[in-house]
Amino acid sequence: MMSKYRLLSLLVVLLVFISCNKEDETTRAINVEVWGYNIGDAELETSIDTTIYRNFTTLPNKPVTFSKIYTFHASKKESALKIKDKTSGKDVFQQQLNLSSGKLELFFPFVYINGNELKIEIPAADSSTNKLSFYIHYPKSSDALDIFLQNETGQITYIAKNVKPGTWIHADYMPEEGFQDKSKSYNLYFTKTGTIDSWYFEDSELISKVGEAGLLLPKNVEKGLVRTYFVTPGNLQLDVIRLFKRP
């Protein structure tokens, strides 16, 4: 079922499209999103063709959260989406936007780590289970960690154990009883392997857990979903960034 947030976003795109058409029958609109992370010293600037979106400049060591409704002439078939390192002037990400596909939304994951783009590993969907993928960025430690959910009663369900940071981890996941209620939010924890209270990031519980409400983890008896995340400690919280289009 489509979320209220997603439905609202699509309605906004549609309203812009209708409004534009009243003025000019040849105007079209599409929502473009880039989500990810910027690790290092670079300050990133996003543009589509010749339009630079300075309000979406990404500072060093911050999430990339670009979302913009882009309008264009109906005769235009494609546009160039670019992300530039403002310091060096180098384009660090480029993507041609297919404007004739009929899609209302285009989504791109992008993670930039110390001058290099991280290859995003997205597993193939499996109709018998769900696929969860995590990339843990934490140069302070090479120790392994466990990833688990905990509900309001203290019940725990593991997503992955003995995970190595700095690499992709892929796990099959089906929600157990106690973790299926879509009206509830559970806590996602990252702990040192073999423990449930030895906090992995900065030895801090605050920076080693996050509420999963916005992560769109599978609930009920959902199957066939693919969810990919980039995980790194922020200034005062844990950043777990989705690298997939919101349903």
Side-chain angles (χ1 to χ4, degrees):
M1 181 178 294
M2 184 177 294
S3 68
K4 292 182 180 178
Y5 177 88
R6 175 57 57 195
L7 181 59
L8 180 60
S9 298
L10 291 176
L11 286 174
V12 169
V13 173
L14 182 60
L15 288 173
V16 170
F17 174 77
I18 293 173
S19 176
C20 290
N21 275 358
K22 288 181 179 179
E23 299 175 2
D24 184 349
E25 293 294 332
T26 60
T27 300
R28 300 289 185 267
I30 192 170
N31 188 56
V32 180
E33 283 193 343
V34 183
W35 277 63
Y37 217 90
N38 175 30
I39 297 288
D41 299 326
E43 187 173 332
L44 304 181
E45 185 176 73
T46 304
S47 65
I48 300 179
D49 282 345
T50 59
T51 302
I52 299 173
Y53 298 97
R54 291 185 172 84
N55 290 339
F56 287 94
T57 297
T58 303
L59 297 176
N61 302 305
K62 294 293 183 181
V64 176
T65 55
F66 177 82
S67 180
K68 186 68 179 178
I69 294 175
Y70 173 65
T71 57
F72 55 94
H73 193 275
S75 63
K76 193 175 184 65
K77 302 303 181 184
E78 62 180 20
S79 290
L81 169 69
K82 295 182 180 181
I83 299 177
K84 181 177 73 174
D85 180 339
K86 291 181 66 177
T87 301
S88 67
K90 173 186 174 183
D91 289 334
V92 298
F93 178 81
Q94 297 186 56
Q95 182 70 48
Q96 289 299 118
L97 306 181
N98 182 358
L99 304 178
S100 59
S101 66
K103 295 180 179 179
L104 291 177
E105 299 174 282
L106 293 175
F107 177 89
F108 305 98
F110 174 68
V111 176
Y112 195 58
I113 301 178
N114 298 321
N116 296 292
E117 181 180 355
L118 176 68
K119 181 180 179 182
I120 309 299
E121 294 186 7
I122 303 175
D126 183 339
S127 61
S128 66
T129 187
N130 299 295
K131 297 289 186 177
L132 304 185
S133 299
F134 296 86
Y135 187 96
I136 312 296
H137 179 76
Y138 191 54
K140 289 185 178 182
S141 176
S142 59
D143 294 340
L145 66 147
D146 294 342
I147 305 173
F148 62 85
L149 287 168
Q150 187 174 54
N151 65 15
E152 71 280 5
T153 69
Q155 179 185 353
I156 287 174
T157 182
Y158 280 91
I159 293 176
K161 294 182 178 181
N162 200 33
V163 173
K164 297 295 184 182
T167 61
W168 282 101
I169 175 67
H170 307 289
D172 294 343
Y173 175 75
M174 285 296 297
E176 296 180 1
E177 187 174 348
F179 297 90
Q180 298 177 349
D181 192 340
K182 284 196 171 186
S183 68
K184 295 181 179 180
S185 177
Y186 312 113
N187 284 324
L188 181 65
Y189 283 91
F190 298 81
T191 61
K192 296 176 183 178
T193 286
T195 74
I196 60 171
D197 58 3
S198 185
W199 315 117
Y200 189 75
F201 298 111
E202 309 294 346
D203 291 320
S204 167
E205 179 179 5
L206 178 65
I207 305 179
S208 297
K209 73 173 182 179
V210 66
E212 55 76 46
L215 301 182
L216 304 174
L217 290 173
K219 298 283 183 72
N220 291 341
V221 290
E222 293 176 312
K223 294 181 181 180
L225 302 181
V226 177
R227 300 288 187 256
T228 309
Y229 305 94
F230 180 80
V231 182
T232 194
N235 291 334
L236 298 173
Q237 76 289 321
L238 181 62
D239 289 333
V240 181
I241 306 300
R242 64 175 174 89
L243 301 176
F244 57 92
K245 185 172 73 171
R246 185 183 289 270

